[in-house]
């Protein structure tokens, strides 16, 4: 089911739910772009490349989230490969407890101690252009995290990580996880102007034309901004906004989705408040937000 898909002379990927990109940097050595979500996917990926007579030289993580670094520790133990991630994100690869802490805003609830939010830690080094093999380049795609990078191969393939989300996911949950709203919009602009032959997102179908998905994601951001402003016409708490968000989505209400959407909502509220579009009201020992008139 999860076989190697060849998309260029030296470029492949494995279509796991969180994809692994593969770039062949010599006759015998390959590097991975991400390691998917757990030891099991790491084992399957390693088996696939060894069947081709290849060895794993390095893993280049697009960002620090558990579903992208979950196979790191196993693969590093088995092969001794180097692992690289941006300096902004690498702390949460070396110390993965930081991921659920950032998501929850404090020490995590036990419900967040699972493979979707807490991967095994690995030894990660700073991602810089000089550690990349010839034929691979890095592109700043921050927004989903503060240090997310995509990778382009000389075959014209662009691994774009979580810079876009599928239309199905956006329809179900209203929004995708974002930390920095302006940078997310800048990243979408970069994708729209890029001339790569194939775009491979981690959680959407590979496509030769990214423009439709970019516009769907851009619309989602502006729809969310409007949702927050309209919801704050009368003063409302953060929890009140979360409640409204779930009432307007079809996804399940559980601690996992609550944490993701609540954290994302804080990013939208912060952006609107910091840009002068939302008032912060401290009243009756309660924090409210209200749209500026």
């Amino acid at each position: 089911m999860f076989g190697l898909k060849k998309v260029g002379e030296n470029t492949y990927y494995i279509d796991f739910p969180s994809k692994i990109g593969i770039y062949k940097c010599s006759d015998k050595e390959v590097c991975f772009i991400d390691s998917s979500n757990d030891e099991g996917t790491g084992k399957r990926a390693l088996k696939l490349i060894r069947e081709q007579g290849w060895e794993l030289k390095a893993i280049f993580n697009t960002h620090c989230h558990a579903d992208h670094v979950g196979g790191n520790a196993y693969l590093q133990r088995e092969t001794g490969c180097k692992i690289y991630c941006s300096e902004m994100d690498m702390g949460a690869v070396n110390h993965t407890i930081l991921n659920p802490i950032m998501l929850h805003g404090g020490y995590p609830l036990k419900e967040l101690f699972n493979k979707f939010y807490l991967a095994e830690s690995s030894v990660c080094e700073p991602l810089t252009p000089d550690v990349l093999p010839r034929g691979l380049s890095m592109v700043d795609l921050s927004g989903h995290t503060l240090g997310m990078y995509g990778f382009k191969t000389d075959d014209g393939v662009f691994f774009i990580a979580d810079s876009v989300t599928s239309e199905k996911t956006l329809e179900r949950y209203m929004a995708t996880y974002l930390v920095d709203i302006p940078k997310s919009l800048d990243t979408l602009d970069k994708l729209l102007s890029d001339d790569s032959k194939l775009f491979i997102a981690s959680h959407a179908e590979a496509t030769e034309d990214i423009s439709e998905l970019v516009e769907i994601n851009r619309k989602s951001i502006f729809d969310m901004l409007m949702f927050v402003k309209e919801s704050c016409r009368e003063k409302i708490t953060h929890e009140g906004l979360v409640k409204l968000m779930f009432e307007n989505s079809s996804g399940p209400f559980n601690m996992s989705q609550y944490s993701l959407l609540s954290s994302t909502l804080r990013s939208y509220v912060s952006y609107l408040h910091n840009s002068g579009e939302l008032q912060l009201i401290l009243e009756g020992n309660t924090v409210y937000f209200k749209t500026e008139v």
Side-chain angles (χ1 to χ4, degrees), residues 120-140:
E120 185 179 352
S121 297
S122 53
V123 179
C124 182
E125 301 176 34
L127 173 67
T128 57
D130 59 287
V131 303
L132 296 172
R134 181 177 296 180
L136 198 64
S137 59
M138 52 192 277
V139 181
D140 183 354

Side-chain angles (χ1 to χ4, degrees), residues 23-72:
Y23 184 71
K24 192 177 176 187
C25 42
S26 72
D27 287 341
K28 293 292 184 182
E29 292 182 320
V30 299
C31 58
F32 281 0
I33 298 167
D34 288 336
S35 63
S36 202
N37 63 315
D38 59 18
E39 182 174 316
T41 52
K43 286 181 177 179
R44 280 182 280 178
L46 187 58
K47 182 175 184 290
L48 283 171
I49 65 166
R50 284 179 169 171
E51 287 173 349
Q52 302 297 318
W54 304 336
E55 290 300 327
L56 180 62
K57 179 181 181 181
I59 300 170
F60 298 106
N61 286 137
T62 58
H63 61 296
C64 61
H65 289 164
D67 59 328
H68 295 258
V69 306
N72 278 14

